[in-house]
């Protein structure tokens, strides 16, 4: 007795996955040409590149990431390593802006970006374990403090390509970095206030355990030259509450001040609110200048004059230097100019 064969119903699950040979046949080129296109397109003519790209779409070919990783010792992934508290990722728009632009720049090289938070000892230990296990090809290090030199040093010792946003204190010569020219930017902001006739210019400085905080204070001092007065300086931490606290402190100490330069826009916005609550008109009684040109500078009335940091270019240069390091280039550092944006507060 013959047992009837039950016909198989295809649900697509058994369909053979397209291979590099299928792409080569569809494109009418050699397997090696397809391989060169998949690995960056070097030594491939424009016509062959276009044929291979079209064949990849037509066949539905997908790169076997695990196989490529084994062959190249690359993961195709970069870490965005943030050493600030978690809430700052959402409170401070600068971090999300940097991350978005970095992701866009990496995507052009078909590299993925993963976010790693490392604000405390436990998170930093886990981050080092993850990085050391070879899960990423490199690191974009954002916001390093002098108190975290041990962590930065540990990253350095991994031998993993890394680029910092801002000069990493203590590692300026051993780690690549990209930074705005923060000292010159602060000097420009202070000199602008002098040019519009302000003489008692206060500073709400950023945290002095960061290169940005130190350099913006240095630029302010340089502009004032011999007229620097320590009673006109208060230290904040870049947060709004610290800006308000510093402004109260400055008004109590120096009620005669006629201008305030805050080391970022969020502190400038908070200072502006305190000044208005105290009965001082901005800019008539007290002029206010911030730093960053972040959304906070446009959320106040009056809007805030500020120093623009070119965040898109900073992100793009960080990615460029990191990709170069991953490819074997030596670490490098870049400083990018800032720009004065004049609005209503000064």
């Amino acid at each position: 007795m013959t047992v009837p064969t039950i016909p198989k119903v295809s649900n697509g699950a058994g369909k053979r996955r397209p291979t590099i040979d299928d792409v080569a046949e569809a494109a009418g080129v050699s397997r090696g040409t397809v391989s060169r296109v998949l690995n960056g397109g070097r030594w491939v003519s424009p016509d062959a590149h276009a044929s291979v790209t079209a064949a990849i779409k037509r066949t539905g070919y997908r790169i076997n990431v695990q196989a490529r990783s084994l062959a190249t010792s690359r993961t195709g992934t970069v870490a965005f390593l943030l050493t600030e508290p978690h809430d700052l990722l959402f409170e401070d728009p600068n971090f999300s802006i940097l991350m978005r632009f970095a992701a866009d720049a990496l995507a052009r090289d078909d590299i993925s970006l993963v976010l790693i938070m490392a604000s405390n000892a436990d998170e930093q230990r886990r981050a080092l374990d993850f990085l050391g296990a070879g899960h990423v090809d490199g690191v974009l290090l954002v916001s390093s403090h002098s108190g975290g030199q041990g962590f930065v040093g540990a990253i350095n010792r991994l031998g993993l390509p890394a680029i910092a946003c801002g000069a990493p204190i203590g590692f300026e010569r051993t780690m690549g970095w990209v930074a705005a020219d923060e000292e010159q930017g602060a000097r420009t902001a202070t000199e602008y206030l002098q040019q519009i006739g302000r003489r008692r210019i206060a500073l709400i400085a950023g945290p002095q355990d960061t290169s940005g905080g130190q350099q913006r204070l240095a630029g302010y001092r340089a502009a004032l030259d011999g007229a620097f007065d320590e009673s006109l300086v208060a230290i904040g931490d870049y947060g709004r509450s610290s800006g308000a606290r510093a402004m109260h402190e400055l008004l109590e100490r120096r009620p005669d001040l006629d201008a305030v330069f805050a080391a970022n826009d969020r502190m400038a916005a908070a200072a502006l609110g305190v000044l208005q609550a105290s009965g001082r008109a901005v800019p008539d009684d007290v002029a206010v200048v911030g730093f960053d040109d972040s959304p906070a500078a446009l959320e106040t009335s009056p809007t805030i004059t500020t120093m623009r940091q070119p965040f898109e270019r900073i992100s793009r240069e960080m990615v460029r230097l990191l990709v170069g390091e991953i490819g074997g280039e030596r670490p490098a550092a870049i400083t990018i100019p800032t720009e004065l944006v004049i609005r209503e507060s000064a």
Side-chain angles (χ1 to χ4, degrees), residues 31-48:
R31 191 178 193 279
T33 298
V34 177
S35 180
R36 286 193 291 275
V37 170
L38 294 173
N39 287 285
R42 293 186 179 182
W43 315 112
V44 178
S45 71
D47 288 344

mmCIF file of all heavy atoms in Angstrom, residues 31-48:
data_model
loop_
_atom_site.group_PDB
_atom_site.id
_atom_site.type_symbol
_atom_site.label_atom_id
_atom_site.label_comp_id
_atom_site.label_asym_id
_atom_site.label_seq_id
_atom_site.Cartn_x
_atom_site.Cartn_y
_atom_site.Cartn_z
ATOM 1 N N ARG A 31 32.788 37.579 -7.318
ATOM 2 C CA ARG A 31 32.542 37.535 -5.870
ATOM 3 C C ARG A 31 33.439 38.534 -5.139
ATOM 4 O O ARG A 31 33.024 39.173 -4.180
ATOM 5 C CB ARG A 31 32.813 36.118 -5.363
ATOM 6 C CG ARG A 31 32.363 35.836 -3.945
ATOM 7 C CD ARG A 31 32.656 34.380 -3.598
ATOM 8 N NE ARG A 31 31.980 33.968 -2.388
ATOM 9 C CZ ARG A 31 32.408 34.216 -1.152
ATOM 10 N NH1 ARG A 31 33.530 34.891 -0.986
ATOM 11 N NH2 ARG A 31 31.725 33.787 -0.103
ATOM 12 N N GLY A 32 34.659 38.683 -5.609
ATOM 13 C CA GLY A 32 35.591 39.621 -4.985
ATOM 14 C C GLY A 32 35.128 41.063 -5.094
ATOM 15 O O GLY A 32 35.316 41.856 -4.166
ATOM 16 N N THR A 33 34.512 41.402 -6.228
ATOM 17 C CA THR A 33 33.997 42.769 -6.390
ATOM 18 C C THR A 33 32.889 43.047 -5.384
ATOM 19 O O THR A 33 32.833 44.114 -4.772
ATOM 20 C CB THR A 33 33.468 42.977 -7.823
ATOM 21 O OG1 THR A 33 34.548 42.804 -8.745
ATOM 22 C CG2 THR A 33 32.878 44.376 -7.996
ATOM 23 N N VAL A 34 31.994 42.075 -5.205
ATOM 24 C CA VAL A 34 30.926 42.239 -4.210
ATOM 25 C C VAL A 34 31.540 42.416 -2.822
ATOM 26 O O VAL A 34 31.123 43.285 -2.047
ATOM 27 C CB VAL A 34 29.974 41.025 -4.219
ATOM 28 C CG1 VAL A 34 28.920 41.177 -3.116
ATOM 29 C CG2 VAL A 34 29.303 40.887 -5.566
ATOM 30 N N SER A 35 32.539 41.623 -2.506
ATOM 31 C CA SER A 35 33.188 41.700 -1.201
ATOM 32 C C SER A 35 33.804 43.075 -0.981
ATOM 33 O O SER A 35 33.689 43.656 0.097
ATOM 34 C CB SER A 35 34.257 40.615 -1.084
ATOM 35 O OG SER A 35 34.902 40.688 0.175
ATOM 36 N N ARG A 36 34.435 43.620 -2.029
ATOM 37 C CA ARG A 36 35.048 44.956 -1.890
ATOM 38 C C ARG A 36 33.991 46.024 -1.667
ATOM 39 O O ARG A 36 34.187 46.951 -0.888
ATOM 40 C CB ARG A 36 35.901 45.266 -3.117
ATOM 41 C CG ARG A 36 37.220 44.503 -3.148
ATOM 42 C CD ARG A 36 38.165 45.068 -4.195
ATOM 43 N NE ARG A 36 37.690 44.813 -5.558
ATOM 44 C CZ ARG A 36 37.912 43.690 -6.240
ATOM 45 N NH1 ARG A 36 38.603 42.710 -5.673
ATOM 46 N NH2 ARG A 36 37.472 43.551 -7.468
ATOM 47 N N VAL A 37 32.860 45.916 -2.339
ATOM 48 C CA VAL A 37 31.766 46.875 -2.129
ATOM 49 C C VAL A 37 31.266 46.801 -0.689
ATOM 50 O O VAL A 37 31.055 47.819 -0.023
ATOM 51 C CB VAL A 37 30.610 46.618 -3.116
ATOM 52 C CG1 VAL A 37 29.382 47.457 -2.735
ATOM 53 C CG2 VAL A 37 31.037 46.930 -4.541
ATOM 54 N N LEU A 38 31.083 45.582 -0.188
ATOM 55 C CA LEU A 38 30.583 45.397 1.177
ATOM 56 C C LEU A 38 31.562 45.905 2.224
ATOM 57 O O LEU A 38 31.171 46.257 3.339
ATOM 58 C CB LEU A 38 30.289 43.920 1.442
ATOM 59 C CG LEU A 38 29.151 43.298 0.622
ATOM 60 C CD1 LEU A 38 29.082 41.797 0.870
ATOM 61 C CD2 LEU A 38 27.821 43.961 0.951
ATOM 62 N N ASN A 39 32.845 45.985 1.874
ATOM 63 C CA ASN A 39 33.866 46.417 2.831
ATOM 64 C C ASN A 39 34.388 47.815 2.555
ATOM 65 O O ASN A 39 35.514 48.147 2.921
ATOM 66 C CB ASN A 39 35.022 45.413 2.843
ATOM 67 C CG ASN A 39 34.662 44.114 3.532
ATOM 68 O OD1 ASN A 39 34.582 44.043 4.753
ATOM 69 N ND2 ASN A 39 34.401 43.076 2.735
ATOM 70 N N GLY A 40 33.553 48.640 1.930
ATOM 71 C CA GLY A 40 33.926 50.041 1.787
ATOM 72 C C GLY A 40 33.998 50.548 0.373
ATOM 73 O O GLY A 40 34.071 51.755 0.150
ATOM 74 N N GLY A 41 34.022 49.676 -0.611
ATOM 75 C CA GLY A 41 33.963 50.124 -1.994
ATOM 76 C C GLY A 41 35.275 50.561 -2.610
ATOM 77 O O GLY A 41 35.288 51.170 -3.685
ATOM 78 N N ARG A 42 36.409 50.288 -1.968
ATOM 79 C CA ARG A 42 37.696 50.677 -2.545
ATOM 80 C C ARG A 42 38.010 49.817 -3.772
ATOM 81 O O ARG A 42 37.723 48.623 -3.799
ATOM 82 C CB ARG A 42 38.810 50.528 -1.510
ATOM 83 C CG ARG A 42 38.686 51.514 -0.356
ATOM 84 C CD ARG A 42 39.880 51.422 0.571
ATOM 85 N NE ARG A 42 39.784 52.389 1.661
ATOM 86 C CZ ARG A 42 40.712 52.551 2.595
ATOM 87 N NH1 ARG A 42 41.801 51.803 2.573
ATOM 88 N NH2 ARG A 42 40.560 53.442 3.552
ATOM 89 N N TRP A 43 38.639 50.440 -4.772
ATOM 90 C CA TRP A 43 39.067 49.761 -5.984
ATOM 91 C C TRP A 43 37.888 49.161 -6.746
ATOM 92 O O TRP A 43 38.021 48.128 -7.405
ATOM 93 C CB TRP A 43 40.115 48.682 -5.681
ATOM 94 C CG TRP A 43 41.185 49.124 -4.738
ATOM 95 C CD1 TRP A 43 41.405 48.681 -3.474
ATOM 96 C CD2 TRP A 43 42.174 50.119 -4.983
ATOM 97 N NE1 TRP A 43 42.466 49.330 -2.904
ATOM 98 C CE2 TRP A 43 42.976 50.221 -3.821
ATOM 99 C CE3 TRP A 43 42.494 50.940 -6.075
ATOM 100 C CZ2 TRP A 43 44.035 51.114 -3.708
ATOM 101 C CZ3 TRP A 43 43.561 51.822 -5.962
ATOM 102 C CH2 TRP A 43 44.313 51.895 -4.800
ATOM 103 N N VAL A 44 36.736 49.814 -6.662
ATOM 104 C CA VAL A 44 35.563 49.373 -7.412
ATOM 105 C C VAL A 44 35.086 50.533 -8.272
ATOM 106 O O VAL A 44 34.926 51.652 -7.776
ATOM 107 C CB VAL A 44 34.432 48.911 -6.464
ATOM 108 C CG1 VAL A 44 33.207 48.491 -7.270
ATOM 109 C CG2 VAL A 44 34.908 47.769 -5.582
ATOM 110 N N SER A 45 34.836 50.275 -9.545
ATOM 111 C CA SER A 45 34.374 51.340 -10.439
ATOM 112 C C SER A 45 32.964 51.770 -10.048
ATOM 113 O O SER A 45 32.194 50.970 -9.475
ATOM 114 C CB SER A 45 34.376 50.846 -11.886
ATOM 115 O OG SER A 45 33.340 49.901 -12.086
ATOM 116 N N PRO A 46 32.585 53.006 -10.361
ATOM 117 C CA PRO A 46 31.228 53.480 -10.037
ATOM 118 C C PRO A 46 30.135 52.590 -10.637
ATOM 119 O O PRO A 46 29.117 52.328 -10.001
ATOM 120 C CB PRO A 46 31.197 54.896 -10.633
ATOM 121 C CG PRO A 46 32.634 55.329 -10.633
ATOM 122 C CD PRO A 46 33.418 54.079 -10.923
ATOM 123 N N ASP A 47 30.361 52.113 -11.884
ATOM 124 C CA ASP A 47 29.343 51.271 -12.530
ATOM 125 C C ASP A 47 29.183 49.943 -11.797
ATOM 126 O O ASP A 47 28.058 49.469 -11.566
ATOM 127 C CB ASP A 47 29.732 51.011 -13.989
ATOM 128 C CG ASP A 47 29.565 52.253 -14.856
ATOM 129 O OD1 ASP A 47 28.886 53.190 -14.404
ATOM 130 O OD2 ASP A 47 30.111 52.270 -15.974
ATOM 131 N N ALA A 48 30.327 49.330 -11.426
ATOM 132 C CA ALA A 48 30.265 48.056 -10.706
ATOM 133 C C ALA A 48 29.631 48.244 -9.337
ATOM 134 O O ALA A 48 28.843 47.408 -8.878
ATOM 135 C CB ALA A 48 31.663 47.461 -10.569
#
